[in-house]
Structures are given as C-alpha cells and as structure tokens.
Amino acid sequence: DMAVTNGVTYFYYVTGFNPVLGGESQPSIEVSAQPRYATTSFAFSSLVLSNNPVAYWRLNELSGTTAADSAGGHNATYGGAVTLGVAGPQPPDFLGFEVTNTAVQLANGVSNSWLTMPALNLNTNTVTITAWIYPIGSQAAYAGLLFCRNGSTVAGMNYDGAGADLGYTWNNNQNTWGWSSGLQPPANQWSFVALVVQPSSAVMYLFNTNGTLSTTNFLSHQNQAFAGSGTIGTDTYSSAARVFNGVLDEVAVFNYALAPTQIQQLYDNGYQLPQVQVGLQQAVAGLNLNWPQGTLFQATNLFGPWSAITNAASPFAVTPTNAAGYFRVLLR
C-alpha cells in the first residue's frame, strides 16, 4: 500500500510477517510506480486557472516588457531592472512545474526592480493573493510582494516592519501593517505563500519543504477597490527601499477566499512528491527491503511512534521478531 501524508510517503507495511524458511518459496511483493520527471508539467498552473483567478502572472517571459496575465486582461509591465529568465520552481524538486519554468529576480534598493500591474477593480473585502518566493538574504521593512497604493486603496501582501515575517496591509489599518504573522520564509529556498482576506479575519500561509504553517489575524476588513495601478515586488510608499529581495514566481489574485484545502492543494500540485519503486523480498534469514531514495523509518504500530533506522541503506535486511512491523520512507 502507498499513501502520502504531510510530506511523508508511506510505501509499504506488513503485519504478521513471519518469513517462510526451510527452503520453501514465497513470492516477492512489490509496489512500483514510474517517477514523474516530465519535460512539461502544468499541475500547478492548471489548478490555479481552474480556481478562476482575477489575474495570474506566471512570470516566465524571457524578454520584453510585458508580463502576461494567463487568466485575463491584466498584463503587467516589467521594470527595466527586473531580471527575466531566472530558474523558478522546477523538477526534480517541484514536479508540478515544467523543467523550463522560469521566474523573475528583483533587487532591493534598485529603482524599477518591480512590475506595475493595472487596476484589478476588486472592490471587495474577500481576496486571496498567492505567490512562490525565493528570498535572497534579509528583507527590508515592509518589502512588498503584491501591493496597491492608489486612490482609496492601500492594501496588499508584504513583509512586516522588521522585514522578517510575512505580513499584509488592508485599508491602511495599523492593525494590519502593524501585525506580524510569525511566519518567516527561509532564505535561499522556495516557499509558497498565500494571504486570504475575509470580512472578519485574514489568514497567512507559508508552505515549503520544512512544513506547513498558518496564522490568523481576527479583524474587521473593509472593501478595497484596487481601482488604480499597483505593483508586484514592492510598495510604492518607498518603491526602491521596499523591493522584495529575491526571486518571485506564479503570482495570482482571486476575488474570493480560497479554502484551506484549496490553498494546500495548490502547494501540493506544485511540490508533488516523486513516486518511488519499492520492494519486499524474502531472504534466507528474513526479508530484504528495497527503496530508491529517502530515509527509512520503522514502528511496531501503524500510528507510531516512528523511529529512523540509522544509516539504513537499500537493500536492508529485516529479521521479524514482532507480530507486526511497519516501515515508511521520508522523502523530504
């Protein structure tokens, strides 16, 4: 049996597995699947589009000044200092993307190192913003990820005042830009981030190979129009000083609140644990367990506690001594 839960692939477990010895034969048992290292994979982008975003910038242009909106007519414009064609989330680490998937790199303190987006005309207090980010080094206070500071709207997703935690601003309310989520995207690593604003709360999400985190700010949120142009990668309150320092990809905006399961599925579709081939064969003194990658764990109960088998390498000899034995492989 095989199942994937919270970044762990449970590849096979057996109960009452006393081997047949004394020369008698026993068929080998094997669970197998082919790795999914395809040259083109649209699992993430297809799911984003199926959720009907208002705008979705894949940021995979290699030249020019236009950042195409894959969802509609909200093409953005690259600033002259934005670096195009930088590697984005790609296989083998992120199987939900093409092997050629690219992103854009921005630099804090550099003028025009951001994108300008047109008016989104959201006029609502129920909004979801998502992106993949790869921070490089530390971030400036209030570094912007997607922001509109135009007309009556002062709202978007950004870092907090210390430049450490994910944050957001809504209706220029101090209880939003002064709130810190406690979620700190690690430097030099891809993370999927999401902000879900609703009338009485806002939820911030952080997903990466270290795990899944979320936190909620319970607060009344007023409608924000987004009737004027905005920016991707900075906040125009202090444009160059608030540029996100790093690589940015797959930015999307929705005019409704995605459910927690939908946010999780977006990350899962981008990350996609690789499938593995595993085997369990009889040996003279027990069983041989085979797997191609990852760390082997064992337990005497399916629900744990689980413990890593130190320095276990495939093939691994198992000599059953209990009525039941369970094994799993941690890929990440």
Side-chain angles (χ1 to χ4, degrees):
D1 192 22
M2 180 183 291
V4 178
T5 305
N6 295 328
V8 175
T9 297
Y10 297 85
F11 63 84
Y12 194 79
Y13 66 87
V14 290
T15 61
F17 54 24
N18 292 325
V20 180
L21 302 177
E24 297 182 29
S25 63
Q26 179 175 327
S28 64
I29 304 171
E30 185 170 324
V31 180
S32 64
Q34 294 302 312
R36 294 173 291 181
Y37 288 63
T39 56
T40 58
S41 177
F42 300 95
F44 179 80
S45 60
S46 296
L47 184 59
V48 172
L49 291 170
S50 72
N51 284 322
N52 298 314
V54 171
Y56 175 33
W57 301 278
R58 296 214 60 201
L59 307 181
N60 56 7
E61 287 80 17
L62 300 179
S63 62
T65 60
T66 299
D69 171 16
S70 298
H74 299 96
N75 290 348
T77 302
Y78 289 115
V82 176
T83 302
L84 309 184
V86 178
Q90 297 176 349
D93 295 319
F94 299 95
L95 297 177
F97 295 94
E98 310 92 318
V99 295
T100 56
N101 182 48
T102 59
V104 298
Q105 186 167 344
L106 315 175
N108 182 260
V110 177
S111 296
N112 296 313
S113 188
W114 59 82
L115 293 81
T116 301
M117 64 182 183
L120 300 179
N121 296 311
L122 300 178
N123 194 32
T124 182
N125 56 356
T126 307
V127 173
T128 302
I129 301 171
T130 64
W132 286 82
I133 65 173
Y134 187 96
I136 297 175
S138 60
Q139 299 300 314
Y142 302 113
L145 295 174
L146 183 144
F147 213 94
C148 180
R149 187 180 289 273
N150 200 318
S152 63
T153 300
V154 181
M157 180 164 61
N158 49 257
Y159 275 74
D160 69 357
D165 298 347
L166 290 173
Y168 79 110
T169 299
W170 200 261
N171 197 35
N172 205 26
N173 187 332
Q174 183 176 359
N175 292 318
T176 61
W177 56 260
W179 173 77
S180 292
S181 66
L183 307 184
Q184 298 186 1
N188 305 314
Q189 178 178 338
W190 280 109
S191 293
F192 178 63
V193 297
L195 168 68
V196 179
V197 174
Q198 300 183 78
S200 60
S201 66
V203 185
M204 188 72 69
Y205 295 88
L206 173 64
F207 298 82
N208 51 50
T209 54
N210 299 330
T212 299
L213 298 171
S214 67
T215 187
T216 303
N217 187 22
F218 293 100
L219 182 72
S220 177
H221 296 84
Q222 306 301 312
N223 284 0
Q224 291 286 270
F226 285 81
S229 63
T231 48
I232 299 171
T234 195
D235 169 12
T236 55
Y237 180 86
S238 183
S239 299
R242 293 191 175 185
V243 173
F244 167 71
N245 202 59
V247 186
L248 188 63
D249 201 18
E250 310 290 332
V251 179
V253 179
F254 305 79
N255 60 355
Y256 67 98
L258 268 66
T261 54
Q262 291 176 294
I263 300 291
Q264 178 71 58
Q265 190 60 57
L266 283 171
Y267 174 70
D268 289 346
N269 271 37
Y271 177 44
Q272 287 196 32
L273 282 171
Q275 296 176 356
V276 298
Q277 183 176 18
V278 298
L280 182 68
Q281 288 84 32
Q282 181 186 346
V284 175
L287 303 170
N288 280 340
L289 195 58
N290 302 277
W291 70 99
Q293 58 182 305
T295 303
L296 184 66
F297 282 68
Q298 67 179 353
T300 57
N301 186 293
L302 179 60
F303 302 102
W306 292 88
S307 60
I309 304 177
T310 305
N311 299 323
S314 178
F316 181 74
V318 177
T319 303
T321 58
N322 302 307
Y326 302 82
F327 299 90
R328 72 182 185 184
V329 168
L330 177 64
L331 292 180
R332 292 284 181 185

